[in-house]
Amino acid sequence: MAEADIAYVATAGAAGLALAVSAWALRLRARLNAATTLAEGERAAAVADLSRHDSMLRAFDDVSLALTPEGEASGAPIGPPELIDRLTEASGDTAGHALLTRLKTSYVVLIDGLVTAGKAFEGLIELGDVEPWRIEGRVAGGGAWLRLSPASRVMLTGADATESGLALLGDASPIPTWVVDGAGKLAWANRVWLHEIGADSVETARNKGLSFDRGADALVAEAGRLGVRQEGFRWTTGGGHRRAWRIIAEPAGGGAVTAFAIEVTEAEETRDTLRRHVDAHDETLNHLADAVAIFGPSKRLAFHNTAFQTLFDIDPAWLDERPTHAELLDRLRQRRRLPEVMDYAGWKARELEFYGASQASPDDSWSLPDGRTLRVVRQPHPLGGILLIFSDITDELNLRSRFNAQIQVQTATLDKLNDAVAVFGSDGRLRLHNEAFETFWKLSAEQIAGSTDFDALAELCKAVLPDPALWLGLKARVADPDPESRVAISGEGRTIDGRIAAWQTRPLPDGATLVAFSDITARRGLEQALVQREQALAESQALKREFVGSVSYELRTPLTTIVGYSELLETMGDLPERGRQHAGAIRVAASQLARSIDDVLDMAQIDAGEMELSLGDVRVQDLLEQAAERVRAKVEGRGATLTVTCPPGLKPIRADDHRIGQALNHLLENAARAVSEGGAVTLSAEMGPSEMRVTVSDSGRGIPYHLQAHVFDRFVRRERGGPGVGLALVKALVELHGGWAEVESEPGKGAAFILHLPLGAATSAAAPELQLVVPSFQTAAS
């Protein structure tokens, strides 16, 4: 293309672009003019609307204040200038700040909540004027606003509130009634209210600032603030009495509140009495040994005592959560505190069916897996629900079992007795009898069963033993409760068949009486035979003593002659030595025979109880030395030694020195015969707390074990000394002093005879001693 063409095309394009731009500019200008006209119209309308709103706000007695997001005053307050002047003395933005400062003195928390969280509120505030101001906080247009208006414009106060309260109540109301206006001041009260606070008029109460109760005032203020009915309970004290009141605060419109005080003292005292009664009842149940559980109508545990928790070993904290009856059964089943049953679900359902019962069910028993047995009592509770009582009767059952077994053993024991035994109760009726009773009176069990009364049974028994005085006396012992009549008595009687019957009564516990009869016919015959035999024995004993005395006398006379002539022969000088030895042997044998006769006489005297002791103070050491000197030659003649051992300072004992010396002589002669050459005989004494022990021991051949038990028996063949009464006499003489004798021996190692002598012998065998009575004045002087 040529350059001219290119220039032509460029010129044509530029001209078209210029035309298009001009057309677009014209159209844009037309739109801009239209928008400007519309904006000016809307602005004029907004200014007119704002003027109307501002006029409306200023036309009413309201003051509004906008708040910034920071909680500060946003500009000046909006409202009538005279109201703003009443609320603050500043102007412009300063007036808004001053007003907000006054409001925050009472509502700073609510204003902060309005700004930060948008929480609306309303209330009353005193700003120094005669009447209170109503304050409201609202959020609108993304900003927070406060509005103030006189309270008289929006709520009832003064006489208006009074008229509104009286529209609901009359002055003749029997309960204290009063009306509080929207400002929280007393507007009206009836005569009862004035009487309660001690005022003669509402003006007087208002001027003195009297009120029914601070708590009631707070309740009334709450009802006025929320506009919702409020109820409460208060105790007051007046006139020396404490009274209970139910306070009702009812909003009456316009911020006024009508309040009522209903006296509930009697109801509260009744409730308190009931509560104390319930507490005492619960405390009583808590001290019972039986486990008690009470379930309410909702089948939840309402009460349980300590015994219940202990019986089933359940956590007290879990019981305090008030589980249901079903939950409790499940917990007990888990802990194996319930009877083992096949169908637990059915058993549990039957347990819960008792809630519908109208009367107590029969007692039940649970056998627990741990071996205990519980008695279960179920009965309806007066307040609904069910009362359960659990008693551990394991010990009771065991005791009953043992008691029944004891009764059976007692009955079997009585049946084994030969005596006829019957037990009568305090009412005079037969309680128990044995088989011998039926046999003794020849009665059948049917006859006795039909005549359990004492009189009826006595009539049956009179056929065997017809003694009216006997049965009358027995009835007095059985039926008379007088302690003087319930004494043990006994007696005898003869039956019509010739038997001798002995009877006796014994009082038993619980007013029972035991009566026993026995057939003593054979016993009486035996007693008579024994009496006759005793008489014969006494005669034979007398003959024996007479015989022994006569024989001893007859023997002593020739023995004395024999001993005298044998001693005479020994002194003759012309008698050969062999003859002198024979004469000595005769003298020794005769002397031994004389001592044996004396021993027999002493034993006979002891057996007859005729031997008397001559008591005196005996020095044991001297007594032992004298006895040793009498037998020393015989012991040393056998090549043995004799030793006397006594501790120093032995105290004298009260005894018969002759009889103790006689016992020692027999023991020493017995020891002299037992020892051999090189042996030893020891005579010793030892003082004990209450006795003196005298021991005669030897180192001889000893005594066999099987003969030691009989060594003190009379006329028994012994290894030592042959038959005789020597050791028996020793034992008898020691026992006559109140002591005893014993032997200790080991075969091959000798023997020891020990005499236990009391420090002071006081026996019936002692001769009476002279008792000197010390005069009373000497005793006092001493």
Side-chain angles (χ1 to χ4, degrees):
M1 178 178 293
E3 293 181 357
D5 294 335
I6 295 173
Y8 175 77
V9 171
T11 302
L17 179 61
L19 291 174
V21 171
S22 298
W24 177 78
L26 291 174
R27 185 180 298 175
L28 183 60
R29 183 182 293 243
R31 290 180 179 178
L32 182 59
N33 291 334
T36 301
T37 302
L38 180 62
E40 290 179 352
E42 291 178 352
R43 178 179 176 277
V47 170
D49 186 52
L50 180 60
S51 178
R52 287 195 307 272
H53 281 79
D54 185 64
S55 300
M56 180 189 67
L57 290 174
R58 297 178 184 277
F60 297 97
D61 294 337
D62 292 337
V63 176
S64 299
L65 179 64
L67 301 179
T68 64
E70 291 77 15
E72 300 296 334
S74 178
I78 302 174
E82 61 275 10
L83 289 181
I84 297 176
D85 292 339
R86 288 172 58 186
L87 296 175
T88 175
E89 297 178 355
S91 61
D93 294 342
T94 305
H97 178 73
L99 178 59
L100 181 61
T101 302
R102 293 189 65 184
L103 296 178
K104 282 188 175 181
T105 57
S106 301
Y107 286 89
V108 61
V109 177
L110 296 178
I111 292 175
D112 290 343
L114 175 67
V115 174
T116 58
K119 294 182 179 180
F121 70 91
E122 62 180 25
L124 296 176
I125 185 172
E126 296 286 346
L127 296 177
D129 295 81
V130 176
E131 61 178 345
W133 288 74
R134 185 169 185 265
I135 180 173
E136 295 179 86
R138 297 287 187 272
V139 176
W145 289 82
L146 296 177
R147 179 187 177 188
L148 293 172
S149 58
S152 59
R153 292 184 60 249
V154 294
M155 62 183 65
L156 298 176
T157 60
D160 296 335
T162 303
E163 294 175 359
S164 176
L166 292 178
L168 298 176
L169 297 172
D171 192 49
S173 175
I175 62 175
T177 307
W178 69 102
V179 178
V180 178
D181 60 18
K185 296 181 179 180
L186 178 66
W188 174 87
N190 65 351
R191 291 191 302 269
V192 180
W193 187 90
L194 294 174
H195 175 73
E196 289 294 333
I197 67 170
D200 54 0
S201 65
V202 176
E203 290 75 12
T204 303
R206 188 186 298 116
N207 295 334
K208 292 183 178 181
L210 302 178
S211 65
F212 186 81
D213 179 73
R214 292 184 179 179
D217 294 343
L219 198 69
V220 171
E222 187 73 8
R225 186 180 67 84
L226 300 178
V228 180
R229 175 176 178 172
Q230 300 292 321
E231 294 187 11
F233 175 82
R234 298 293 297 172
W235 281 94
T236 63
T237 303
H241 300 285
R242 190 167 180 261
R243 304 164 71 182
W245 303 90
R246 181 187 176 197
I247 308 299
I248 301 176
E250 185 72 39
V257 178
T258 303
F260 309 90
I262 304 174
E263 185 176 0
V264 292
T265 305
E266 184 177 355
E268 286 301 318
E269 289 178 350
T270 303
R271 183 180 294 108
D272 187 61
T273 302
L274 177 61
R275 182 173 61 254
R276 290 197 302 268
H277 179 73
V278 172
D279 293 342
H281 182 263
D282 293 346
E283 186 67 18
T284 301
L285 293 180
N286 202 38
H287 284 82
L288 292 180
D290 294 338
V292 179
I294 300 176
F295 292 88
S298 61
K299 299 184 180 181
R300 284 192 172 274
L301 183 65
F303 171 81
H304 71 280
N305 61 354
T306 306
F308 179 83
Q309 184 269 330
T310 304
L311 178 65
F312 293 105
D313 192 19
I314 305 178
D315 185 10
W318 186 79
L319 292 176
D320 293 340
E321 296 177 359
R322 299 183 60 191
T324 63
H325 197 168
E327 292 172 347
L328 178 64
L329 293 177
D330 293 339
R331 174 64 67 92
L332 293 179
R333 183 168 182 259
Q334 292 175 1
R335 299 176 62 84
R336 300 195 67 194
R337 297 293 190 272
L338 291 180
E340 299 287 352
V341 294
M342 297 294 294
D343 183 13
Y344 172 71
W347 182 88
K348 176 181 175 182
R350 289 190 296 272
E351 283 292 320
L352 299 179
E353 287 177 358
F354 288 105
Y355 283 90
S358 59
Q359 58 184 0
S361 62
D363 293 355
D364 193 7
S365 61
W366 289 0
S367 298
L368 303 186
D370 58 3
R372 293 182 297 172
T373 302
L374 305 181
R375 181 174 61 242
V376 184
V377 178
R378 309 175 185 87
Q379 61 183 19
H381 196 270
L383 302 180
I386 187 174
L387 170 67
L388 300 179
I389 302 176
F390 301 89
S391 303
D392 189 351
I393 59 174
T394 306
D395 295 338
E396 179 182 347
L397 293 179
N398 293 336
L399 182 61
R400 185 180 302 174
S401 176
R402 291 196 298 268
F403 176 75
N404 292 334
Q406 185 177 4
I407 290 296
Q408 294 176 359
V409 171
Q410 183 182 20
T411 303
T413 303
L414 291 178
D415 288 339
K416 300 302 180 183
L417 295 178
N418 294 325
D419 293 345
V421 177
V423 177
F424 293 90
S426 58
D427 56 354
R429 302 186 67 85
L430 183 65
R431 292 286 184 264
L432 188 66
H433 72 282
N434 61 353
E435 296 177 354
F437 187 84
E438 301 174 4
T439 305
F440 185 89
W441 298 109
K442 300 178 181 179
L443 299 174
S444 63
E446 292 76 12
Q447 289 178 302
I448 296 178
S451 304
T452 57
D453 184 74
F454 182 84
D455 292 334
L457 187 62
E459 290 297 327
L460 296 177
C461 296
K462 285 180 180 179
V464 179
L465 185 58
D467 187 352
L470 165 64
W471 298 107
L472 186 62
L474 290 180
K475 182 177 180 180
R477 300 300 179 271
V478 170
D480 192 349
D482 188 358
E484 295 183 359
S485 298
R486 289 181 51 77
V487 295
I489 61 173
S490 59
E492 294 182 6
R494 185 173 294 273
T495 62
I496 59 175
D497 56 1
R499 293 178 296 166
I500 300 176
W503 53 269
Q504 58 181 341
T505 65
R506 291 293 183 271
L508 300 178
D510 296 333
T513 305
L514 181 143
V515 181
F517 298 87
S518 57
D519 186 356
I520 60 172
T521 307
R523 185 191 306 172
R524 287 291 178 260
L526 181 60
E527 289 176 355
Q528 186 176 3
L530 290 176
V531 169
Q532 296 175 355
R533 185 171 181 179
E534 183 180 3
Q535 294 175 352
L537 182 60
E539 294 176 359
S540 65
Q541 289 288 349
L543 290 175
K544 182 182 72 172
R545 288 196 299 272
E546 184 179 354
F547 172 75
V548 170
S550 177
V551 170
S552 62
Y553 176 77
E554 296 295 334
L555 291 177
R556 281 177 183 273
T557 301
L559 283 177
T560 302
T561 304
I562 293 173
V563 171
Y565 279 106
S566 62
E567 291 177 352
L568 180 60
L569 289 175
E570 287 181 320
T571 59
M572 293 179 62
D574 54 351
L575 186 67
E577 184 62 27
R578 187 173 183 83
R580 185 176 290 104
Q581 292 178 357
H582 290 168
I586 293 172
R587 179 181 54 78
V588 171
S591 299
Q592 185 176 359
L593 180 58
R595 287 196 301 271
S596 298
I597 293 173
D598 291 338
D599 292 343
V600 172
L601 290 175
D602 289 340
M603 284 299 301
Q605 192 176 10
I606 292 175
D607 291 342
E610 298 175 354
M611 177 174 285
E612 292 184 353
L613 299 179
S614 298
L615 299 180
D617 292 338
V618 178
R619 294 176 57 86
V620 177
Q621 184 174 1
D622 296 343
L623 187 64
L624 298 185
E625 290 177 354
Q626 293 173 7
E629 290 302 324
R630 287 193 294 268
V631 77
R632 185 180 300 278
K634 184 180 294 185
V635 173
E636 293 178 352
R638 298 180 65 89
T641 60
L642 175 60
T643 305
V644 178
T645 304
C646 287
L650 279 181
K651 296 181 180 180
I653 65 173
R654 195 71 173 168
D656 188 337
D657 56 348
H658 172 69
R659 296 302 179 183
I660 298 299
Q662 184 179 358
L664 291 177
N665 289 339
H666 283 289
L667 293 178
L668 289 172
E669 290 179 357
N670 186 59
R673 290 192 296 268
V675 296
S676 56
E677 188 174 356
V681 175
T682 304
L683 181 60
S684 63
E686 181 181 2
M687 177 72 74
S690 60
E691 64 178 8
M692 177 74 72
R693 291 185 295 274
V694 179
T695 304
V696 178
S697 60
D698 62 75
S699 59
R701 58 185 179 274
I703 304 173
Y705 291 115
H706 67 282
L707 295 179
Q708 292 182 16
H710 306 284
V711 72
F712 290 108
D713 295 344
R714 66 185 68 179
F715 303 112
V716 174
R717 181 69 182 178
R718 305 181 185 88
E719 292 288 334
R720 306 171 61 163
V725 294
L727 295 180
L729 182 60
V730 170
K731 178 175 178 292
L733 292 175
V734 173
E735 290 177 351
L736 203 61
H737 281 76
W740 55 287
E742 64 173 334
V743 61
E744 295 179 358
S745 177
E746 185 176 352
K749 295 184 179 181
F753 290 85
I754 306 172
L755 306 182
H756 297 265
L757 298 173
L759 298 180
T763 66
S764 58
E769 297 185 74
L770 180 61
Q771 298 292 334
L772 297 179
V773 179
V774 181
S776 58
F777 67 89
Q778 293 183 7
T779 305
S782 61

